[in-house]
Amino acid sequence: MTEKELIKAIEYLVKKYAPNRNDIIETIKNNPGSAKGVMYDLSMAKNREYDNEDHDLIANISFYFI
């Protein structure tokens, strides 16, 4: 997973689970190295549990950037 793919994945997850938190998207765009903090912020802001189909995406983010 590249940094560009990371940013796209975070954008997707934020729009799906925390649509009112565009600040998370801006953080990852400005500092891709902040993936751990961004994923924490997303987990605290999400409005529902992650869907099963998104677990692989989250696992990839964790493997490559956390």
Side-chain angles (χ1 to χ4, degrees), residues 27-65:
T27 299
I28 200 66
K29 283 182 176 179
N30 293 330
N31 185 8
S34 65
K36 185 175 183 177
V38 165
M39 289 303 293
Y40 174 79
D41 290 343
L42 177 58
S43 72
M44 302 295 5
K46 68 183 177 175
N47 56 14
R48 61 191 173 105
E49 293 301 313
Y50 295 120
D51 293 337
N52 286 335
E53 65 265 10
D54 294 327
H55 284 284
D56 287 341
L57 179 60
I58 294 165
N60 281 337
I61 291 169
S62 296
F63 181 78
Y64 289 105
F65 290 98

